[in-house]
């Protein structure tokens, strides 16, 4: 059973989240409910949840600050944001923290259930790959830098993924990222392919497209600005890549997924 943590400052929403969704049928169990970021951090430290459903706008500590603290604690829990808040800076910060899933309030519970099932499948797939990956001894062609020698392959790849997510608007290369985490390019490629089951270029493109989708749906920034924000200086080329990945143009995607104004 996957561990779930629910975080929202509104008690009725917390109650609905607990009651309405068929958690047991989805192979999940609610291990905690919190009405503030501080309370959620305490529960997360004790339970290490696999999935966190969290509101963005909460008093004292907002949802993104909570997720940032969660990452500082070393927890890579999947996070599903619950909010209609549409500030561009919020979208950028969410992406930097590895949050790609969101549901707009007022909550449509059928849509939420489908989204939670998708995330659950992704979590289980990752857990299976990690288990398989950690059971296979890897040949290290070149020794990593001295400070990196103390880190596990998972820690190195988490560090690489974090660095990539922070620099999606810049040109990125294998040598740059490998140097940043202190290992050779050949060793980096070996670890990267085993961890993510795709090439470096495929991964960076996927992250850029996910970031673009998030921004198209949750902000009013122009498509040209979003294109530059995810590393494509030419809007035409960005549109071509986006259409290849999603089957629709950025404008069509925005028209289909634009979040309504709430709260």
């Amino acid at each position: 059973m996957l561990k779930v943590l629910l975080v929202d400052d509104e008690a009725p929403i917390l109650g609905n989240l607990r009651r309405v969704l068929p958690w047991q049928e989805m192979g999940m169990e609610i291990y905690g409910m919190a009405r503030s970021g501080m309370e959620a951090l305490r529960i997360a430290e004790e339970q290490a949840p696999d999935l966190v459903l969290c509101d963005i706008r909460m008093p004292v500590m907002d949802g993104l600050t909570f997720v940032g603290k969660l990452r500082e604690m070393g927890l890579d829990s999947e996070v599903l944001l619950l909010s209609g808040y549409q500030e561009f800076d919020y979208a950028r910060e969410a992406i930097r923290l590895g949050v790609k899933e969101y549901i707009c309030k007022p909550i449509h519970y059928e849509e939420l259930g489908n989204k939670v099932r998708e995330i659950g499948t992704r979590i289980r797939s990752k857990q299976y790959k990690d288990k398989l990956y950690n059971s296979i001894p890897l040949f290290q062609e070149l020794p990593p830098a001295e400070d990196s020698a103390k880190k596990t392959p998972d820690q190195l790849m988490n560090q690489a993924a974090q660095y990539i997510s922070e620099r999606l608007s810049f040109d990125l290369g294998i040598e740059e990222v490998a140097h940043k985490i202190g290992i050779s390019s050949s060793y980096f490629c070996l670890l990267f392919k085993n961890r993510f089951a795709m090439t470096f270029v495929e991964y960076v493109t996927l992250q850029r497209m996910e970031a673009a989708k998030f921004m198209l749906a949750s902000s009013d920034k122009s498509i040209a600005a979003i294109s530059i924000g995810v590393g494509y200086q030419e809007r035409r080329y960005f549109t071509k890549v986006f259409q290849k990945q999603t089957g629709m143009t950025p404008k069509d995607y925005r028209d289909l997924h634009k979040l309504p104004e709430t709260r």
Side-chain angles (χ1 to χ4, degrees):
M1 300 291 281
L2 298 180
K3 296 181 178 180
V4 179
L5 171 60
L6 307 178
V7 189
D8 198 297
D9 62 313
E10 299 181 43
I13 291 180
L14 275 182
N16 287 340
L17 289 173
R18 184 183 185 94
R19 289 191 304 270
V20 174
L21 296 185
W23 296 105
Q24 293 289 326
E25 293 178 17
M26 294 190 293
M28 302 180 185
E29 185 173 349
I30 297 174
Y31 272 70
M33 298 172 64
R35 294 186 61 187
S36 71
M38 294 300 295
E39 184 183 3
L41 279 179
R42 179 184 58 78
I43 297 173
E45 187 174 14
E46 294 176 356
Q47 300 295 341
D50 299 297
L51 171 62
V52 178
L53 276 67
C54 180
D55 189 19
I56 288 184
R57 302 186 72 181
M58 296 185 293
V60 183
M61 179 186 291
D62 65 39
L64 293 182
T65 302
F66 160 68
V67 176
K69 297 290 185 182
L70 201 68
R71 299 300 183 234
E72 289 176 10
M73 291 165 58
L75 296 176
D76 61 352
S77 312
E78 287 276 353
V79 177
L80 173 58
L81 292 177
L82 309 173
S83 182
Y85 200 56
Q86 296 185 42
E87 284 294 330
F88 187 67
D89 288 343
Y90 268 60
R92 291 185 61 185
E93 178 65 8
I95 292 164
R96 189 186 73 78
L97 294 170
V99 179
K100 303 184 186 70
E101 304 289 356
Y102 52 91
I103 287 288
C104 182
K105 289 184 176 181
I107 298 170
H108 187 289
Y109 285 96
E110 182 178 356
E111 178 188 358
L112 177 61
N114 291 335
K115 184 74 71 175
V116 169
R117 288 184 180 89
E118 291 175 10
I119 297 173
T121 299
R122 188 163 67 239
I123 293 172
R124 292 184 179 90
S125 176
K126 181 180 181 300
Q127 288 177 343
Y128 174 77
K129 288 179 180 179
D130 287 347
K131 183 177 180 181
L132 182 63
Y133 169 71
N134 289 328
S135 69
I136 301 174
L138 295 175
F139 175 71
Q140 186 173 322
E141 295 182 12
L142 292 174
E146 184 176 348
D147 60 337
S148 296
K150 301 175 184 178
K151 296 180 179 178
T152 66
D154 272 350
Q155 289 173 326
L156 289 170
M157 289 301 96
N158 287 341
Q159 187 179 349
Q162 177 70 21
Y163 182 75
I164 291 169
S165 71
E166 292 174 352
R167 296 187 61 80
L168 290 178
S169 60
F170 299 89
D171 288 335
L172 280 167
I174 291 173
E175 293 78 11
E176 175 188 348
V177 183
H179 176 74
K180 176 66 178 179
I181 64 176
I183 62 177
S184 69
S185 297
S186 56
Y187 185 46
F188 175 88
C189 290
L190 180 64
L191 294 184
F192 197 92
K193 190 66 179 290
N194 275 280
R195 170 64 182 274
F196 298 106
M198 65 182 72
T199 67
F200 176 82
V201 173
E202 289 171 342
Y203 178 87
V204 172
T205 300
L206 179 63
Q207 296 307 307
R208 283 173 168 160
M209 294 303 102
E210 289 296 324
K213 288 193 292 185
F214 189 105
M215 293 179 188
L216 286 167
S218 63
S219 81
D220 293 318
K221 280 283 185 178
S222 69
I223 293 174
I226 291 174
S227 171
I228 294 172
V230 296
Y232 296 90
Q233 299 304 311
E234 296 182 14
R235 174 176 168 173
R236 182 178 300 178
Y237 182 66
F238 165 69
T239 298
K240 180 179 179 180
V241 175
F242 189 91
Q243 192 164 11
K244 182 178 179 181
Q245 290 282 328
T246 66
M248 62 183 76
T249 66
K251 181 181 184 304
D252 290 340
Y253 184 91
R254 167 170 274 172
D255 291 341
L256 185 63
H257 294 87
K258 183 66 176 177
L259 298 178
E261 293 284 344
T262 61
R263 294 184 68 172

